[in-house]
Structures are given as C-alpha cells and as structure tokens.
Amino acid sequence: MIWFSWLGVETGIEFQTIANQQRDFQMNRRYLILSFLSVCGILVAASIVGFGDDEPKAAPRAFIDGMGEGWQALGPANFINVNCGKDTWSWKEGILYCTGKPVGVMRYEKQLTNFEVVLEWRHMRKGGNSGCFAWIPEKSLNRLKPGQLPQGIEVQILDLGYAELYEKRHKKKSDWFTSHGDVFPTQASRMKPFPPVAPNGRRSFPTKNLTRGVGEWNHYYIRCINSEVRLWVNGEEVSGGTSCSPGTGYMALESEGSPIEFKNIKLRELP
C-alpha cells in the first residue's frame, strides 16, 4: 500500500510536470510571437523616421532654385553700377566677384514691384558684410556718393564671424543683429517686421540659424509681393516683414567692405 501510494504520488508529479512544461511552452511561444511582432514594428518605424536618429526626420521642403516658367538668369547686362568703383564688380565664368570696396551698390536694370530672386553667395573673409536690397527709390540712388548705401528694404548677408569682430571693436554686445538673415528697412523706408523682432523694433530676426561660414556657399530665396518681403535661407523660411513702404523700386546687391562672391542669380517678375 505504501509503495502504490508512493507510485501514485510520483505519477501525479510526472503528470503535473508535463502540464507545467506544456504551459511554459505555450507562454514561451506567445512571448516569441509578441517579440517578433515588436521587432517588426521597430523596423518599420525606423524605416520611416531613420534608424538610430534622436529625432524623426523632417518632411521634405520645397526648394526654390529659379527653374521654371518666368525665371531669368541674370548677368552683366542686367546690372548697373551705381556708386562703386570700376573694378568693384566683375564677372567670370558665371561668378560675380565683389571686392567690397568702396561701399556702394549695383542695381538691377529696371524698377520692380512684385518679384522673386534666388542667389547663392559666400563670404571670402571672416566677418564679411553685404546684402541684397529691395524697393530702392530712384531718388535715393540718384543722390548716392561712393561709400554710401541707399534707402530700401535690406536682406542682410553677414558672415558668422561678424558678431565676434563687432564686439571686439565696439566693446559691447551684438544683440541688435544676427548673421542668419536679418530683414529690415533703411533710412526713410518702413516695414512691419515678422517676429522675432530685434530690440530696436525694426529688424526681423531669423527663426533659425542656418547660415554657413566663410568660404561656404549659401542659398537665398527672396520673395517680394504686395509690399511684403520673405526670406528663405538654405531652403527654409526664416524672416521677413509686411507693410513695406515704398513697395516699388530697384533691387540691388551691396558692396560693404570685404570680398564676396555670388552665383546663380535669377529673377522672376510677377504681376
């Protein structure tokens, strides 16, 4: 009796062990299936946002390159030297070279109201300064002397080293400008700047810092429509303003003290 009781217990234990093994197998299989599905989900997500990235990849951006109906490639025949030296501006193999001296501008051949401009630029010296003007009144250009800049809406072109040089020279902070695409009115022109706004209330500061440094090409797309100006730096809109006055005038490129190069300058006049 004792032996059979022991056998019964042993047999019961064996049956219980088998049941436990079957249950563990089912649980392990379920775990493996869930793990496999989880891995598949991770791989799919990685293919969308970029495997190993800290942040999801941004959606593709529209990039205006001056291609398409109405765009005109600009060259020497399209510009007139206003108050610079004979050798300040020169063209060679599609590149516009500017010595930066003397300070002054070279304007487009006719006045514009609604238009778009694309151009690429690079400073050739640390702390370089330049710009692209919109809506310069003719009377402002007529009275310019060498070393002077006109009235208008300026889209600034500054090298990243300009702030450092400014602070060393003037012994104060450079908190009233940036090197990433400020837009502002000069002299008697007026503009309501898009935020963020400079401390003086006149400049539109860029929403992002996208400018590349000295010797590197940068891309500007400038849109001037219905007295509103907007700037895209290297493919992203960053600054601008509305209620510009006047809203008709000349477009011009600026020489301001240091060498700079331009290429792929294109313009499209709009209704």
Side-chain angles (χ1 to χ4, degrees):
M1 294 293 294
I2 294 175
W3 184 83
F4 285 109
S5 296
W6 174 84
L7 180 61
V9 172
E10 184 68 24
T11 303
I13 292 174
E14 290 179 357
F15 287 150
Q16 184 65 37
T17 300
I18 292 172
N20 289 341
Q21 289 176 344
Q22 291 177 338
R23 183 187 63 190
D24 291 344
F25 174 78
Q26 293 293 335
M27 292 179 64
N28 288 337
R29 186 173 66 173
R30 184 179 304 169
Y31 174 78
L32 289 172
I33 292 173
L34 291 175
S35 298
F36 175 77
L37 294 175
S38 297
V39 170
C40 290
I42 292 171
L43 292 175
V44 171
S47 68
I48 296 173
V49 304
F51 189 77
D53 290 352
D54 293 330
E55 297 180 357
K57 289 184 177 179
R61 301 190 304 268
F63 192 83
I64 307 299
D65 59 2
M67 302 296 290
E69 185 177 355
W71 284 99
Q72 175 189 8
L74 304 186
N78 302 113
F79 286 97
I80 297 173
N81 185 3
V82 176
N83 62 334
C84 295
K86 293 182 179 180
D87 299 326
T88 303
W89 303 93
S90 60
W91 298 80
K92 185 178 180 180
E93 297 179 353
I95 305 292
L96 172 60
Y97 296 88
C98 176
T99 65
K101 297 178 181 180
V103 171
V105 295
M106 179 179 67
R107 69 166 175 84
Y108 182 60
E109 58 190 329
K110 67 175 184 177
Q111 296 192 58
L112 300 163
T113 300
N114 295 328
F115 65 99
E116 301 169 289
V117 173
V118 295
L119 57 84
E120 294 178 61
W121 61 266
R122 64 177 177 182
H123 280 292
M124 305 309 293
R125 183 184 300 164
K126 181 179 179 180
N129 188 0
S130 183
C132 179
F133 279 87
W135 297 322
I136 302 173
E138 186 171 16
K139 63 180 181 180
S140 176
L141 292 175
N142 290 340
R143 61 173 179 256
L144 280 186
K145 297 177 181 180
Q148 296 180 335
L149 293 174
Q151 172 189 341
I153 305 299
E154 181 173 350
V155 178
Q156 194 155 60
I157 299 175
L158 278 185
D159 176 61
L160 299 178
Y162 190 89
E164 177 185 347
L165 297 179
Y166 174 89
E167 292 180 357
K168 286 182 178 179
R169 183 181 305 162
H170 298 280
K171 308 301 180 184
K172 58 183 178 181
K173 292 184 177 181
S174 57
D175 58 354
W176 60 276
F177 68 87
T178 81
S179 295
H180 296 277
D182 295 3
V183 178
F184 55 93
T186 65
Q187 301 178 29
S189 290
R190 297 290 180 264
M191 183 189 81
K192 182 179 179 181
F194 295 151
V197 179
N200 65 6
R202 288 174 59 83
R203 287 180 175 240
S204 172
F205 276 177
T207 55
K208 291 185 177 182
N209 297 337
L210 299 174
T211 299
R212 304 182 184 113
V214 62
E216 297 185 72
W217 287 106
N218 290 272
H219 183 279
Y220 269 15
Y221 165 52
I222 306 166
R223 189 175 72 190
C224 304
I225 301 176
N226 297 331
S227 300
E228 178 182 276
V229 57
R230 293 177 179 266
L231 170 65
W232 281 253
V233 175
N234 294 322
E236 293 191 53
E237 184 178 359
V238 296
S239 54
T242 189
S243 302
C244 296
S245 177
T248 294
Y250 288 98
M251 182 273 288
L253 298 177
E254 175 187 342
S255 167
E256 196 171 353
S258 61
I260 185 172
E261 298 175 3
F262 298 89
K263 69 177 181 177
N264 296 325
I265 308 170
K266 300 176 184 179
L267 181 144
R268 176 163 65 179
E269 190 169 1
L270 301 170

